[in-house]
Amino acid sequence: MLSKPVKQALSGWGQYPVESCYVYRPEMIKELQTLLSERDGSFISYGVGRSYGDTALNKGGNVIRMDRFNHFLDFNEETGMLTCESGVLLEEIIDVFLPRGFYLPVTPGTKFVTVGGAIANDVHGKNLHKDGTFSEYVQSFELLTANGEVLLCSREENADVFWATVGGIGLTGIILTATFQLIRVESAYIDVTYERARNIDEAFEKFIAHDDDYKYSVAWIDCLASGDSLGRSVLMRGDHAKREDLPASIMEPLKPANKLKATMPIHAPSFVLNHWSIAAFNELYYTVNKDADKIVEQSSFFHPLDSINDWNKLYGKKGFVQYQAVFPKNENPKAGITKMLEMLSKKKTASFLAVLKSSGPANDGLLSFPMEGYTLALDIPLKDDSLFPFLRELDELVVSHGGRVYLAKDSSLPQDTFRKMYPKWEEFLTVKRKVDPNDRFSSSMSRRLGLTD
């Protein structure tokens, strides 16, 4: 018997927008097939709500939570190939397989992401310049389409649906299972080189000179610095530490650290994150992080904010907007990013976090985000609606440099701007109409972007 939905106010991790949806929480494929055949309206899959905006929201429609599809199905110890259900968290994969000497090939800035979400948003990490996105390591996945059919998708079988689903923000169907490659590691630690850059020119010089020397590379940017210090940074670049690199005090190299976690108990008052408090934090961060080589536990390097439960409450009840843009290599990305930092500094629109990374080439995902160049990610507190005209100015800058905004973090991109940024949108719609001719899979984002009615 089909369970009744629960009407619930949902949001993404940015807490904006908040929308009323009808939420189902099935645990078997048969339930999903019954839902699609017996219930009216549109559906969108929802993992654990770590997309930032309205990617997995469906205002007034149906949302299918996939967290009960959380079983490991098969693992080949020789090849590192894992098959699991789509609701498995990256955290669970690390917990189970790191002690056995395997790690995720790509991990975003949080481990609280489902495998299905990682594919639907084609997530990337600090090795984007070297190893690409999560989809590079996906051998195949099973997709439940609108007519209830389970479709096996790979680069060889139903390849058009495979590349429409990778980064396809859940609009081709429901990802049920996935088979993908884990990588071998010798320890749960990262050998990291910390290096400061006095301004954006120096940061780019260091990226260009040494990025290829490291598997992982990222720079924290002080987005409020101005003048000769505009874009001052701390670069953090590293590789998986080998056993011989570890200090003798580490007795169990593959055991992840069991760290105490803090919890943000309530929403912080909206005045806590302002120009002055963020400037003070940036000054402290730049001063403390001097040039040095350190061995750090993997979660401290990949997922530092995961050590604080509900850290998004730091932004207050109105939430925040995360804005990540990529500037292509052949369109003078340094000029584009410098201009964006100048706009932020002039506007005194403080971003609590600003992260610069280099990006490898685009893949064949029709709506995938990366392209060869550089990306800048910003977390901007949402005080009032005056932020959105400024975001449109940022959009125009990104378009003028041939770049695009990452849909997994977007909550406000207009339809016409989206089409300029993602020129394969019509090709995407051709595949979507083939497997979902009646738009059974639709979201608040897809309607905003004109991908569904």
Side-chain angles (χ1 to χ4, degrees):
M1 182 176 174
L2 193 61
S3 60
K4 291 183 178 180
V6 175
K7 190 175 183 180
Q8 190 174 347
L10 285 181
S11 72
W13 190 243
Q15 304 176 89
Y16 171 83
V18 180
E19 296 181 342
S20 180
C21 309
Y22 293 92
V23 180
Y24 294 88
R25 199 166 171 238
E27 57 184 326
M28 293 186 292
I29 295 174
K30 193 172 181 60
E31 286 181 79
L32 290 171
Q33 291 170 320
T34 302
L35 261 177
L36 290 172
S37 64
E38 294 187 1
R39 297 293 187 191
D40 295 330
S42 62
F43 297 85
I44 195 69
S45 301
Y46 185 102
V48 287
R50 286 300 183 115
S51 294
Y52 284 82
D54 54 358
T55 315
L57 303 185
N58 192 8
K59 187 176 182 180
N62 304 305
V63 167
I64 301 174
R65 292 198 58 157
M66 295 296 291
D67 55 329
R68 286 179 170 168
F69 287 78
N70 60 346
H71 299 94
F72 293 117
L73 303 176
D74 186 58
F75 182 64
N76 186 322
E77 196 90 28
E78 296 298 319
T79 65
M81 197 66 75
L82 171 66
T83 300
C84 65
E85 291 182 324
S86 62
V88 169
L89 288 171
L90 301 189
E91 178 197 36
E92 294 166 328
I93 295 172
I94 294 171
D95 287 348
V96 171
F97 293 99
L98 181 53
R100 298 162 73 167
F102 291 92
Y103 200 73
L104 296 163
V106 167
T107 177
T110 176
K111 58 189 173 186
F112 301 119
V113 171
T114 63
V115 168
I119 295 172
N121 293 286
D122 202 12
V123 299
H124 58 270
K126 294 178 173 66
N127 53 343
L128 179 57
H129 65 300
K130 281 257 188 182
D131 302 323
T133 61
F134 191 82
S135 66
E136 302 287 334
Y137 305 90
V138 175
Q139 181 183 76
S140 63
F141 53 78
E142 291 180 314
L143 185 75
L144 182 65
T145 61
N147 64 4
E149 180 186 5
V150 177
L151 209 60
L152 181 65
C153 301
S154 69
R155 288 165 177 78
E156 296 78 31
E157 192 167 353
N158 298 306
D160 57 342
V161 183
F162 180 90
W163 289 115
T165 303
V166 165
I169 51 176
L171 299 178
T172 56
I174 301 172
I175 299 169
L176 299 172
T177 68
T179 298
F180 54 97
Q181 182 77 53
L182 301 183
I183 61 171
R184 289 185 183 276
V185 295
E186 293 187 19
S187 79
Y189 294 82
I190 308 296
D191 187 355
V192 186
T193 297
Y194 292 78
E195 188 177 18
R196 294 194 296 190
R198 289 171 296 182
N199 50 44
I200 192 67
D201 290 335
E202 196 170 287
F204 267 89
E205 288 171 10
K206 292 178 185 295
F207 264 110
I208 293 168
H210 298 295
D211 236 21
D212 287 342
D213 299 337
Y214 299 90
K215 183 176 180 67
Y216 302 104
S217 177
V218 67
W220 164 88
I221 297 266
D222 180 354
C223 67
L224 289 179
S226 57
D228 292 340
S229 296
L230 183 81
R232 69 174 178 171
S233 322
V234 177
L235 282 73
M236 294 159 275
R237 295 174 290 187
D239 297 287
H240 290 280
K242 297 178 180 177
R243 290 190 179 221
E244 64 210 44
D245 300 327
L246 303 179
S249 58
I250 297 175
M251 306 297 289
E252 298 180 90
L254 287 168
K255 184 177 180 180
N258 187 21
K259 293 188 173 182
L260 293 175
K261 294 182 72 170
T263 296
M264 191 71 191
I266 58 172
H267 286 92
S270 59
F271 59 80
V272 169
L273 286 183
N274 54 47
H275 177 85
W276 293 274
S277 63
I278 293 175
F281 170 81
N282 286 353
E283 184 64 38
L284 177 65
Y285 192 89
Y286 186 78
T287 303
V288 168
N289 285 287
K290 302 183 184 303
D291 294 359
D293 292 328
K294 299 178 186 177
I295 299 287
V296 302
E297 204 273 338
Q298 52 85 29
S299 60
S300 300
F301 182 71
F302 292 116
H303 317 115
L305 288 172
D306 284 349
S307 61
I308 306 174
N309 291 322
D310 299 332
W311 64 262
N312 54 345
K313 291 181 179 177
L314 183 66
Y315 290 87
K317 289 185 178 179
K318 291 182 179 177
F320 66 103
V321 170
Q322 178 149 128
Y323 189 95
Q324 184 172 14
V326 59
F327 293 81
K329 184 179 180 181
N330 59 356
E331 294 284 347
N332 196 350
K334 189 175 79 169
I337 288 172
T338 300
K339 179 64 177 175
M340 185 171 281
L341 292 172
E342 288 173 346
M343 291 167 69
L344 287 162
S345 182
K346 182 179 178 182
K347 188 84 173 176
K348 295 192 183 301
T349 301
S351 172
F352 182 57
L353 289 177
V355 175
L356 178 67
K357 282 188 287 200
S358 54
S359 170
N363 58 32
D364 291 333
L366 300 178
L367 296 183
S368 281
F369 166 70
M371 57 175 69
E372 189 167 16
Y374 291 85
T375 83
L376 182 65
L378 308 166
D379 280 356
I380 307 175
L382 180 57
K383 305 292 185 186
D384 52 50
D385 288 347
S386 65
L387 175 63
F388 296 105
F390 180 66
L391 294 179
R392 299 293 75 78
E393 294 178 33
L394 297 184
D395 293 342
E396 290 176 14
L397 173 70
V398 174
V399 169
S400 71
H401 281 265
R404 61 174 63 132
V405 167
Y406 189 20
L407 298 181
K409 299 178 177 180
D410 175 58
S411 55
S412 67
L413 199 64
Q415 176 181 322
D416 58 339
T417 312
F418 160 73
R419 290 182 174 182
K420 293 175 185 173
M421 293 178 172
Y422 287 86
K424 294 184 179 178
W425 66 271
E426 287 181 291
E427 195 176 338
F428 172 82
L429 282 185
T430 298
V431 181
K432 176 171 170 58
R433 285 166 183 154
K434 173 182 151 184
V435 292
D436 183 21
N438 298 313
D439 280 349
R440 295 303 308 278
F441 296 104
S442 177
S443 66
S444 298
M445 169 177 273
S446 70
R447 294 188 287 273
R448 173 166 56 81
L449 299 180
L451 290 171
T452 57
D453 293 330

